[in-house]
Amino acid sequence: MLLQVLIFVTGLCVLSWGADRFVYGASALAKNIGISPMMIGLTIVAMGSSAPEIVVSAIASVNGAPDTAVGNALGSNITNIGLVLAITALVKPLVVSSTTLKREMPALIVITLIAMAFLFNGRLAHIEGLILFGLFIFVLAGMAWLSLHVEKSDPLMAETVDEIPSDENTGKAVLWIGVGLVLLPLSAHFIVDSAVYIAKYFGLSDLVIGLTIIALGTSLPELAASIAGVMKGEDDLALGNIIGSNIFNLLAVLSMPGLIAPGLIDPDVYNRDMYVMFGLTALLFFFSFSIIGKKQIGRLEGSLLLVCFLGYQFWLFG
């Protein structure tokens, strides 16, 4: 058992590092061939933040554990809002001022409702997986278009430019992409295998292991990145990463079990978990959206989100 825990933790560290190297290499290569920093930030970097969840979901589906994949998608969204954003706001309140985020937030609400509609009948069909993945491609294209039309005064632009690697040669960038492409599926394989073993040892379902230990593990890098971002004053970027990650989780991550292992899902998904995810997403919308002026996600809002997250954990294991 101790060995399996060690394998799981090591796998998460390698997965996180591999995803970081992949995003770094892809961003550097994109910049070297002339792609704008804003487009890189809204597409490559945003997608890269969900790369661990996407790969883990695909591997779990291939291994015949679609509930783990579904749990990973929903659990990552719950963790991103209830834990990552909550702790970030407790460390330093976030000022939301980017018009880009105000465009992405309604999109997150709509995509969340679409995902819930697909899960409501207790199964995830192949056609639904295709639709979700098609929407993922559409959103990527939309973000690319948005990057070309964002206002220069938008604070997200300056924050994004600062995060793109500079002065990296193309050969090394390609090398890091290759390293990431090798490490991501390899580490995900060990993570899923060890997680299944741990789940069976403690009598947990595939769904719960995806909602908790895997979701938490794949979201920890976003916690570190968000805290580092707000400490540097990059509030819009920190919140944008969370919103973008949640959008991609519902489209790219949730599409994997539909595409690879369609069929029935654990009843708790549509009786419990998807409503918790929607409730936290609605709170995020309420806290961050303001028609006029700036809106702040402060320590009070962060405390409320954290209490909701902890209450959900007690509900899962109670």
Side-chain angles (χ1 to χ4, degrees):
M1 179 61 192
L2 183 61
L3 176 61
Q4 293 298 324
V5 172
L6 181 61
I7 291 173
F8 182 82
V9 173
T10 303
L12 283 176
C13 293
V14 174
L15 182 75
S16 175
W17 188 77
D20 177 75
R21 291 297 86 193
F22 174 78
V23 171
Y24 178 87
S27 299
L29 179 62
K31 184 175 182 180
N32 288 350
I33 62 177
I35 297 177
S36 73
M38 194 64 181
M39 183 177 291
I40 295 171
L42 288 180
T43 55
I44 296 174
V45 175
M47 183 176 64
S49 66
S50 291
E53 288 93 338
I54 295 171
V55 178
V56 167
S57 182
I59 296 296
S61 299
V62 169
N63 290 356
D67 284 332
T68 299
V70 173
N72 184 27
L74 274 61
S76 292
N77 279 22
I78 291 169
T79 302
N80 281 345
I81 299 174
L83 185 67
V84 174
L85 179 61
I87 292 179
T88 302
L90 288 172
V91 171
K92 184 176 180 290
L94 293 86
V95 176
V96 186
S97 55
S98 174
T99 56
T100 304
L101 296 184
K102 292 173 183 177
R103 294 190 192 102
E104 290 184 20
M105 187 66 70
L108 175 58
I109 293 291
V110 171
I111 290 168
T112 300
L113 291 173
I114 292 173
M116 290 176 66
F118 286 170
L119 297 172
F120 191 75
N121 63 356
R123 62 185 297 114
L124 194 57
H126 185 72
I127 184 62
E128 292 168 336
L130 283 172
I131 292 172
L132 289 173
F133 195 77
L135 286 173
F136 169 61
I137 301 299
F138 177 79
V139 167
L140 273 181
M143 287 186 170
W145 179 88
L146 184 63
S147 70
L148 299 175
H149 296 83
V150 66
E151 298 175 3
K152 292 184 178 181
S153 60
D154 193 320
L156 187 60
M157 174 172 282
E159 294 173 12
T160 301
V161 171
D162 291 340
E163 292 299 311
I164 304 302
S166 58
D167 301 325
E168 185 64 86
N169 67 73
T170 300
K172 195 170 182 180
V174 172
L175 174 64
W176 284 127
I177 293 173
V179 169
L181 289 175
V182 171
L183 291 181
L184 281 170
L186 185 64
S187 57
H189 172 76
F190 284 104
I191 287 171
V192 171
D193 282 353
S194 58
V196 169
Y197 182 93
I198 295 169
K200 290 180 178 178
Y201 183 87
F202 287 106
L204 301 175
S205 67
D206 289 345
L207 175 64
V208 171
I209 201 71
L211 286 166
T212 55
I213 183 171
I214 293 181
L216 179 62
T218 54
S219 295
L220 285 178
E222 288 161 10
L223 174 60
S226 295
I227 292 177
V230 295
M231 294 307 292
K232 292 189 292 184
E234 299 173 344
D235 296 18
D236 286 300
L237 186 62
L239 182 57
N241 285 341
I242 291 173
I243 296 173
S245 177
N246 281 20
I247 289 174
F248 290 152
N249 285 340
L250 292 177
L251 298 181
V253 180
L254 190 59
S255 70
M256 291 297 109
L259 291 172
I260 300 171
L264 297 175
I265 56 176
D266 192 311
D268 283 335
V269 170
Y270 51 89
N271 289 329
R272 177 193 62 202
D273 306 314
M274 71 178 191
Y275 296 108
V276 174
M277 178 187 67
F278 178 77
L280 286 171
T281 303
L283 282 176
L284 173 59
F285 179 85
F286 176 75
F287 290 158
S288 61
F289 189 76
S290 179
I291 297 175
I292 300 174
K294 296 183 178 181
K295 188 81 172 179
Q296 186 180 71
I297 301 178
R299 292 187 172 91
L300 177 62
E301 291 85 357
S303 298
L304 178 59
L305 292 173
L306 186 58
V307 167
C308 291
F309 178 78
L310 294 176
Y312 173 64
Q313 301 304 308
F314 281 113
W315 188 7
L316 284 177
F317 295 103

